[in-house]
Amino acid sequence: MNENKICFVIVVNHEDLYNNCKSFIKKLKVPTELEIEILPLKNVDSIAKSYNQAIESSDAKYKVYLHEDVLIVNKNFIYDILKIFNDETIGM
């Protein structure tokens, strides 16, 4: 597992929507020690099955699952989620 990697897993049915989604991801502020991976899932029969395959195909510690029509507008999204995941008072 790569502790310094975040993977955005995106179900893709329409290339133009995917490109827009990807452009928002590329505008996010990224900590210097963190690597970004974008993993498109195309021609999927089952979203759940495809997400499970993505779990195995990416070594990223953090995975964000999106549909192509979701746009992350908070440029601090990565910093915000890392803060939550690193807070030991939050969890199950």
Side-chain angles (χ1 to χ4, degrees), residues 23-58:
S23 73
F24 275 77
I25 292 169
K26 290 181 177 183
K27 293 176 186 174
L28 298 176
K29 295 179 183 175
V30 181
T32 56
E33 71 278 3
L34 204 63
E35 175 187 350
I36 298 295
E37 176 182 24
I38 298 175
L39 179 61
L41 303 176
K42 299 181 180 184
N43 304 316
V44 300
D45 294 327
S46 164
I47 291 176
K49 182 178 177 181
S50 297
Y51 281 167
N52 283 329
Q53 290 172 340
I55 290 171
E56 297 175 11
S57 69
S58 175

Side-chain angles (χ1 to χ4, degrees), residues 58-76:
S58 175
D59 65 343
K61 178 178 181 179
Y62 306 101
K63 294 177 180 72
V64 178
Y65 297 89
L66 303 169
H67 199 264
E68 64 194 359
D69 58 354
V70 174
L71 306 176
I72 302 174
V73 296
N74 175 6
K75 291 188 189 303
N76 291 314

Side-chain angles (χ1 to χ4, degrees), residues 82-92:
L82 290 176
K83 183 178 177 184
I84 292 168
F85 288 131
N86 290 320
D87 186 341
E88 293 181 11
T89 65
I90 299 174
M92 290 181 26

